[in-house]
Amino acid sequence: MSLKHEIDKNRLPKHVAVIMDGNGRWAKKQGFKRVFGHKKGVDAVRQTIEAAVEIGIEALTLYAFSTENWNRPKYEIDTLMSLLVSSLKKEIGTFQKNNVKLQTIGNIEKLPKKAQRELDETKEKTKNNSKLTLTLALNYGAREEILNATQNISKKIVNNELKIEEIDEKIINSHLYTFNLPNVDFLIRTSGELRISNFLLWQIAYAELYFTEVLWPDFNKEEFYRAIINYQSRERRFGKTSEQIEKRN
Ligand code: IPE
Ligand code: IPE
Ligand code: MG
């Protein structure tokens, strides 16, 4: 039986973020080239989106390409970019059927023109969908995001559109790429690596973290449900004591 039935629909994380890691190692293990792992990883992306929709998650953010990933061999970068284009073309049906709205975070202007065009088209086609907001992090780096926000806030101060005393968490939030998303409740990383790799540093301040040994191409709906059940077993205290939390329930 599916683990799905063990999930409490009243205690879902609003925003789930995923560091999809382990494609290269998955491919190597079977004697294939690294890029084969990326191709297989697309199936895991589809399963994760569908699982999120099935249980009623509102926001899912997937780390697809980091600012640091430009340091990989050119062949691998080119393959990832063309895989992005072909997957968007292929999965538009999945988005429409599941009522998924696509958006991106990161500096998209540095991506190949073809990828930008396909992203723009898919965003446009899915803009009225409302069940799940799917955010792809592309050429995304949390430090770049914070830097970008700092520059934009500073410009407003210089132009007298904002006063220094007015800068608060809300203002900072509204200048991040994730301005329209709630804070991350739950962060999943596959492949056993225990690090954040420059992903959503501000937004994960109070997120629950989940690390699994499963390599990304092996991730699927059941693994997603398993992670959510683990999330639901935790007590989120936000600085309070356990007794204070129990009293409220
Ligand atoms: C994650 O898998 C995909 C991207 C970072 C684009 P990796 O390609 O990092 O796989 P490993 O970590 O080398 O196994
Ligand atoms: C993080 O994975 C980036 C993405 C999943 C897109 P990496 O595989 O690039 O991370 P590091 O470099 O091993 O930390
Ligand atoms: Mg990796």
Side-chain angles (χ1 to χ4, degrees):
M1 206 171 75
S2 171
L3 289 167
K4 194 164 123 183
H5 306 287
E6 291 176 33
I7 294 171
D8 178 355
K9 295 274 170 67
N10 298 314
R11 289 179 53 236
L12 288 171
K14 267 208 173 88
H15 185 183
V16 179
V18 187
I19 303 175
M20 313 182 286
D21 199 14
N23 294 353
R25 276 163 286 165
W26 182 90
K28 277 271 171 74
K29 250 178 43 184
Q30 351 249 328
F32 297 123
K33 281 205 238 157
R34 293 178 49 83
V35 292
F36 189 71
H38 298 317
K39 291 194 180 115
K40 190 68 178 41
V42 177
D43 295 335
V45 172
R46 188 186 318 108
Q47 291 234 0
T48 304
I49 295 169
E50 287 181 346
V53 168
E54 277 174 33
I55 59 173
I57 302 285
E58 290 170 25
L60 176 70
T61 299
L62 304 177
Y63 205 4
F65 195 86
S66 74
T67 46
E68 288 75 22
N69 287 147
W70 295 110
N71 296 318
R72 293 195 177 195
K74 185 173 182 308
Y75 172 70
E76 183 167 341
I77 297 174
D78 290 348
T79 307
L80 281 166
M81 293 302 157
S82 56
L83 202 56
L84 172 65
V85 174
S86 60
S87 305
L88 287 169
K89 278 196 186 14
K90 215 175 114 199
E91 300 303 332
I92 181 71
T94 312
F95 296 154
Q96 303 299 32
K97 190 178 81 196
N98 290 287
N99 200 1
V100 173
K101 175 179 157 175
L102 179 83
Q103 60 174 32
T104 55
I105 54 172
N107 190 351
I108 295 302
E109 278 154 40
K110 296 274 157 61
L111 298 184
K113 283 278 162 318
K114 227 176 154 184
Q116 291 186 47
R117 236 178 292 131
E118 203 58 45
L119 283 165
D120 286 345
E121 252 179 57
T122 314
K123 285 179 195 174
E124 179 60 29
K125 282 183 191 156
T126 62
K127 69 173 187 217
N128 294 322
N129 292 348
S130 56
K131 183 115 175 62
L132 172 77
T133 300
L134 171 68
T135 306
L136 287 185
L138 287 162
N139 187 23
Y140 174 88
R143 287 182 174 175
E144 193 276 333
E145 176 182 44
I146 292 169
L147 211 139
N148 179 267
T150 308
Q151 287 181 344
N152 288 331
I153 292 171
S154 305
K155 272 182 214 154
K156 288 189 183 166
I157 291 173
V158 171
N159 295 336
N160 287 322
E161 291 165 38
L162 190 70
K163 294 197 191 83
I164 288 180
E165 312 79 68
E166 285 170 347
I167 301 176
D168 57 10
E169 291 194 12
K170 259 201 189 130
I171 294 283
I172 294 182
N173 263 322
S174 67
H175 287 80
L176 296 174
Y177 294 131
T178 52
F179 67 93
N180 63 347
L181 291 170
N183 276 323
V184 175
D185 298 302
F186 193 39
L187 175 73
I188 299 173
R189 183 172 191 148
T190 58
S191 90
E193 304 295 357
L194 306 179
R195 54 178 176 263
I196 301 299
S197 303
N198 202 13
F199 193 40
L200 303 173
L201 293 180
W202 169 277
Q203 299 86 339
I204 62 167
Y206 248 111
E208 295 295 327
L209 310 180
Y210 178 85
F211 298 99
T212 168
E213 292 289 328
V214 174
L215 300 173
W216 181 251
D218 288 328
F219 200 80
N220 55 26
K221 287 187 180 181
E222 289 304 307
E223 290 300 334
F224 187 76
Y225 300 145
R226 194 188 312 284
I228 299 295
I229 290 164
N230 184 296
Y231 169 88
Q232 294 189 330
S233 73
R234 304 182 190 191
E235 182 179 66
R236 301 188 77 191
R237 288 194 283 275
F238 298 102
K240 295 183 181 168
T241 66
S242 201
E243 289 73 17
Q244 286 175 295
I245 307 290
E246 274 160 23
K247 225 183 271 166
R248 215 170 31 122
N249 290 336

